[in-house]
Amino acid sequence: MSKRVFTQTFGVVGALLERDGKILLVKEAGKVDGGKWSHPAGWIDIGENPIEAAQREALEESGYEVEATALLGIYSLVREDIQQHYEGTPHALKLIFKVKLLTNTPRQLHDDVSETKWFTPEEIEAMDGDTLRDVDIKQMVRDYFAGKEAPLSILVHTVQQ
């Protein structure tokens, strides 16, 4: 893994997994946000297609195989609350995808996640920064249930050689 540098805006991907009106959140096991809930998300590897990255992150962090169906939105999150842990202020541009579950039983979780749990939108809305890693997740959940989405074709991935 490359060293993460927080002196510039960076790109991450994430997925909202929904089943029976509930959203799956994962509990962080890391040093900075350990014990907080989040949606499956992570950095886009150099050269990686963002759609494939979101599907990979969802599998690693939730244990579920998924297929991206739409782009929910692009969210800009500045984390001033954790800047003391880094050489800068983390500012992520987050490409968040709606996904379809391809499996019913999760696989083993990646080591940066300690557990998963399905939450109602109301339970997520009631969470604060002490419980929820990124408070913009509340807006994502509202957008999801409001039917907001863009077609995957809006994202064009090109590798120039």
Side-chain angles (χ1 to χ4, degrees):
M1 179 186 292
S2 301
K3 179 182 178 195
R4 305 304 190 192
V5 179
F6 296 108
T7 56
Q8 295 181 352
T9 304
F10 57 95
V12 298
V13 292
L16 280 191
L17 287 68
E18 183 267 334
R19 184 171 65 192
D20 301 326
K22 294 184 176 184
I23 298 292
L24 183 79
L25 296 183
V26 300
K27 188 176 271 191
E28 296 287 325
K31 293 186 289 186
V32 176
D33 286 315
K36 294 183 179 183
W37 292 99
S38 182
H39 58 83
W43 291 64
I44 305 166
D45 292 337
I46 300 297
E48 188 175 24
N49 180 310
I51 296 169
E52 293 171 3
Q55 294 171 162
R56 173 185 53 76
E57 285 291 340
L59 177 60
E60 289 175 359
E61 295 195 353
S62 75
Y64 289 98
E65 288 185 53
V66 301
E67 178 184 346
T69 59
L71 180 68
L72 176 64
I74 301 170
Y75 300 82
S76 176
L77 177 66
V78 179
R79 291 282 313 266
E80 291 180 345
D81 62 319
I82 59 172
Q83 65 186 354
Q84 70 274 12
H85 297 285
Y86 301 105
E87 298 172 13
T89 302
H91 179 183
L93 291 179
K94 301 164 68 174
L95 286 75
I96 306 301
F97 294 88
K98 288 184 169 182
V99 298
K100 173 176 67 172
L101 290 169
L102 299 178
T103 54
N104 291 323
T105 306
R107 296 182 183 176
Q108 184 171 349
L109 302 175
H110 198 267
D111 60 3
D112 58 353
V113 172
S114 63
E115 66 178 290
T116 64
K117 184 177 175 184
W118 295 93
F119 291 90
T120 65
E122 296 80 16
E123 290 170 320
I124 294 170
E125 191 64 41
M127 294 179 176
D128 61 15
D130 292 330
T131 308
L132 198 59
R133 182 186 73 184
D134 297 343
V135 295
D136 63 344
I137 293 170
K138 293 179 182 188
Q139 183 63 53
M140 293 172 200
V141 171
R142 289 191 294 266
D143 291 347
Y144 182 92
F145 286 104
K148 180 180 174 184
E149 66 179 52
L152 293 177
S153 61
I154 198 167
L155 195 155
V156 178
H157 176 72
T158 303
V159 177
Q160 182 172 329
Q161 299 182 358

